[in-house]
Amino acid sequence: MTNIRAMAAALALTIWMIMGADGLAEPAAEIRQEVWGLSLPIPMPAYVAKPAGEGPFPLVVMNHGESLDATARGFFPRAEFRDAALWFARQGYLVVAPVRPGFRTSSIDFPERGLYGIYFGEIGECAEANFRDPGLAIASIDEWTIDYLVRQRVARPKAIVIGQSGGGWGAVALSSRNPQNVRAIIAFAAGRGGHIDGKPNNNCAPDKLIDTAREFGKSARTPVLWIYARNDSYFGPELSKQMFEAFRSAGGVGEYHLVPDFGNDGHFLVDSADAIPHLVSDRQPFPGASPMRARITPILAVFFVVAALLPSAAVAQHGMPPGNETSVLLPPDIQNMPRGRVQLQGVAYSDWRKLCFKAEPNQVCRTTISGTINTGQEVLRVDLIEGDAGSARILIVLPGGLYLPAGVKIAIDDGEALQIPYMWSFSNVCVAAKSVSPDLIARMKSGRSMSIEAVDSGLLAVTATLPLSRFADASSAPTTLNQSLAK
């Protein structure tokens, strides 16, 4: 059996090399907090903390926690562990925390979330608890997010993925796929099925949780750092240690760290601003930990390596600017716009493709096409979204900086134009959406092309023409959840 001390030393060296292979992120004096739209197979918003500038930056992806209660999910914070995100951003990282489907105003299809909303976190009845697929669903979202940000040239390849609770479980699941663009994974309080019936230390199916950790470990070779607090009321020391040992004994690569009690419930360690000094410095040990022990356990080679390059105290204490969500100063009269017209050139369009997602409470299908320029960056996306009850909605994703009152116009061949209002304006993209009739869908199936017109900030109408020749074929070839998410 592998010697634990040798393994820990090897992992620490691996993490050191991972973080320093092509240069650690440089400390940043100015941090921006923004909300971005991510054009993923299921588009979703994300909280972003980043240094000033265009990048590309080294990337940290953060997975928020889970709740099986739909009402609680509706009130989830946009950034569950903002202070940890800001700490990484101060070191020069682009930190992106996607808001998964089913949480807060997570669906860009809002306000008709009830018709088009989906949630991938259901584990089913305890007797038949499925901990595998919800974890792999989060893993897929992580992979989508990293690939998208690298293609958009705002992030460098080789991300660090951090998750907490159910999001930490998704990060562990991600390790089983060994994604090429992931350097290392940090899982805080990872697990599923805690607090059944609202009772602390009452897990739904601990044996199934351990078995699933073992299953993930069979193929996991990406380093995972497992972190738990001793007073975690969801996954106590005995259960968390058993999960890790099952993962490691099956072949998974990682370290397990159990830190002293933190606050009223150590499950929320990484959520707390009070925890950050303990996570990144051996000079501020956890309450109740001896200074010698503090140098070993809180918290991991990753944090020690990065903390060694902290900026000056003045930079580290730099105040954060307010949130930077997009706003537009509107002129009083829009009757004379647009003042000119230009055709969008040099855009390559993907084939139409259809993805269907079966998740509680609905089945939702999206038939999608995207346009990219020669750098690989996406500049246009069109989705036809169809719900269970025959409802349909068209959604158009365009770059930011557009004139919002003008909306977007679409037309099939030489037909009458349909006005689509903007529903969201994020820092990086604008999203227009509207319910559509079966007649429009029929015309898309029989049409040759669709024209899309938006108005930029200079009041020029920018027109793109995309093909419809394969739309009808794509609409009859769905891909299920099991194929697209929990592969």
Side-chain angles (χ1 to χ4, degrees):
M1 179 178 292
T2 304
N3 181 276
I4 296 296
R5 290 181 180 272
M7 182 179 175
L11 180 61
L13 177 60
T14 299
I15 296 299
W16 185 285
M17 294 173 65
I18 281 169
M19 299 292 285
D22 45 355
L24 282 167
E26 295 183 3
E30 180 183 350
I31 304 301
R32 296 179 180 175
Q33 298 181 70
E34 302 176 346
V35 179
W36 287 8
L38 305 180
S39 182
L40 311 181
I42 304 173
M44 59 192 72
Y47 165 79
V48 173
K50 63 183 288 291
E54 299 300 322
F57 301 102
L59 176 62
V60 170
V61 175
M62 287 186 161
N63 298 334
H64 60 70
E66 280 284 347
S67 173
L68 292 177
D69 182 81
T71 301
R73 292 197 303 271
F75 289 97
F76 239 68
R78 180 178 290 146
E80 194 177 16
F81 25 97
R82 184 188 302 265
D83 291 280
L86 291 175
W87 186 86
F88 272 100
R90 289 189 188 102
Q91 316 316 310
Y93 289 89
L94 168 65
V95 182
V96 179
V99 182
R100 296 193 296 275
F103 288 82
R104 198 177 162 90
T105 52
S106 60
S107 173
I108 293 180
D109 310 327
F110 181 87
E112 291 151 342
R113 184 172 45 185
L115 294 176
Y116 307 107
I118 46 182
Y119 170 58
F120 296 120
E122 292 289 349
I123 61 174
E125 297 296 328
C126 285
E128 300 295 333
N130 177 1
F131 296 126
R132 174 185 178 273
D133 288 349
L136 291 175
I138 295 174
S140 288
I141 291 169
D142 287 336
E143 290 178 302
W144 293 346
T145 300
I146 295 166
D147 290 347
Y148 171 73
L149 294 169
V150 171
R151 287 199 314 271
Q152 294 301 100
R153 303 200 171 199
V154 295
R156 299 178 195 168
K158 302 291 186 183
I160 299 168
V161 175
I162 301 173
Q164 188 267 345
S165 191
W169 184 248
V172 172
L174 178 65
S175 73
S176 72
R177 293 187 176 175
N178 299 304
Q180 184 177 359
N181 269 346
V182 175
R183 292 180 180 275
I185 292 169
I186 307 173
F188 287 93
R192 290 300 311 269
H195 272 221
I196 292 301
D197 299 325
K199 299 176 182 177
N201 301 304
N202 186 35
N203 193 268
C204 181
D207 290 345
K208 292 183 183 296
L209 196 62
I210 294 166
D211 288 343
T212 308
R214 182 178 294 108
E215 180 182 351
F216 290 154
K218 289 178 181 178
S219 59
R221 300 299 179 266
T222 302
V224 184
L225 305 174
W226 300 57
I227 309 164
Y228 295 86
R230 190 174 298 277
N231 63 332
D232 187 320
S233 71
Y234 286 75
F235 312 107
E238 182 177 353
L239 176 57
S240 64
K241 183 68 172 177
Q242 288 177 329
M243 283 191 289
F244 171 75
E245 288 296 343
F247 174 85
R248 188 188 62 80
S249 64
V253 177
E255 277 189 32
Y256 173 89
H257 288 258
L258 184 67
V259 303
D261 292 356
F262 185 84
N264 295 326
D265 190 337
H267 186 70
F268 304 101
L269 168 72
V270 74
D271 296 1
S272 171
D274 295 336
I276 304 306
H278 306 302
L279 298 177
V280 300
S281 174
D282 63 355
R283 290 183 293 277
Q284 301 191 57
F286 279 90
S290 70
M292 181 59 69
R293 176 170 179 162
R295 291 178 181 275
I296 300 172
T297 57
I299 210 118
L300 314 177
V302 162
F303 292 100
F304 285 128
V305 171
V306 180
L309 299 180
L310 281 172
S312 67
V315 173
Q317 296 173 8
H318 191 278
M320 293 299 102
N324 192 26
E325 297 183 38
T326 301
S327 61
V328 177
L329 182 63
L330 305 179
D333 181 7
I334 64 171
Q335 300 303 314
N336 296 323
M337 50 74 62
R339 65 181 188 185
R341 198 170 299 274
V342 62
Q343 178 74 27
L344 192 61
Q345 302 289 338
V347 178
Y349 292 100
S350 68
D351 287 335
W352 286 95
R353 59 195 184 280
K354 186 170 185 178
L355 299 176
C356 289
F357 303 96
K358 293 182 179 179
E360 294 296 333
N362 302 319
Q363 173 174 308
V364 177
C365 292
R366 314 180 77 101
T367 307
T368 304
I369 190 172
S370 59
T372 58
I373 56 178
N374 58 9
T375 62
Q377 293 166 280
E378 184 178 280
V379 294
L380 170 66
R381 170 178 174 153
V382 177
D383 283 14
L384 178 71
I385 309 162
E386 298 172 275
D388 279 335
S391 58
R393 181 174 175 83
I394 196 163
L395 180 145
I396 302 169
V397 182
L398 296 164
L402 298 172
Y403 184 69
L404 300 183
V408 178
K409 293 180 182 178
I410 67 169
I412 310 301
D413 298 331
D414 297 323
E416 181 179 355
L418 175 67
Q419 187 84 12
I420 311 291
Y422 287 108
M423 302 299 296
W424 294 88
S425 183
F426 299 105
S427 298
N428 63 322
V429 297
C430 294
V431 180
K434 183 176 183 177
S435 297
V436 294
S437 67
D439 175 66
L440 179 75
I441 299 172
R443 287 192 285 128
M444 289 176 66
K445 290 181 177 179
S446 62
R448 299 182 306 276
S449 64
M450 173 188 288
S451 65
I452 297 177
E453 179 182 293
V455 178
D456 68 14
S457 56
L459 298 186
L460 290 175
V462 181
T463 303
T465 303
L466 54 88
L468 290 172
S469 56
R470 298 194 179 184
F471 173 79
D473 290 339
S475 64
S476 62
T479 301
T480 66
L481 169 66
N482 287 339
Q483 293 170 306
S484 61
L485 276 177
K487 60 185 178 183

